[in-house]
């Protein structure tokens, strides 16, 4: 990563993330964020109720509000689950 914080980085790729992240990757990210205590059960359930694009927005915004460490967890998870999208977004 550059010297930007992961939180700033997530904001800069938000639109592309929302447009391009797939349903399965989004679900796996949610599971991973829950497992790592980045989000709680209630946050996960509210995000699950949305359309894919709304869910992507909810996930990225929820994680950004939690700060740099949470944002890094999301970025790392995305890099593992979808290397192609991660490269497209310049996260790798």
């Amino acid at each position: 990563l550059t010297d930007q914080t992961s939180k700033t980085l997530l904001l800069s790729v938000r639109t592309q993330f929302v447009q391009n992240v797939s349903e399965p990757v989004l679900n796996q990210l949610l599971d991973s964020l829950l497992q790592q205590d980045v989000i709680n059960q209630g946050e996960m359930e509210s995000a699950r109720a949305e359309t894919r694009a709304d869910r992507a927005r909810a996930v990225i915004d929820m994680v950004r509000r939690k700060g740099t460490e949470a944002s890094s967890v999301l970025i790392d998870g995305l890099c593992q689950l979808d290397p192609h999208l991660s490269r497209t977004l310049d996260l790798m």
Side-chain angles (χ1 to χ4, degrees), residues 10-82:
L10 277 185
L11 182 59
S12 70
V13 300
R14 182 178 183 273
T15 304
Q16 281 180 285
F17 174 81
V18 169
Q19 289 169 347
N20 296 301
V21 72
S22 70
E23 189 87 39
V25 168
L26 202 48
N27 290 334
Q28 288 175 286
L29 275 174
L30 277 167
D31 292 339
S32 172
L33 292 168
L34 180 67
Q35 193 177 350
Q36 296 178 68
D37 286 328
V38 174
I39 62 173
N40 63 39
Q41 192 67 40
E43 290 168 321
M44 179 164 180
E45 285 164 13
S46 74
R48 284 240 191 263
E50 312 279 345
T51 64
R52 186 205 55 82
D54 287 342
R55 189 171 336 144
R57 278 185 203 95
V59 168
I60 203 164
D61 294 341
M62 201 168 13
V63 171
R64 277 186 51 248
R65 281 194 297 271
K66 292 176 184 272
T68 303
E69 198 174 320
S71 298
S72 294
V73 172
L74 175 61
I75 290 168
D76 292 344
L78 185 60
C79 289
Q80 287 172 12
L81 294 168
D82 194 338

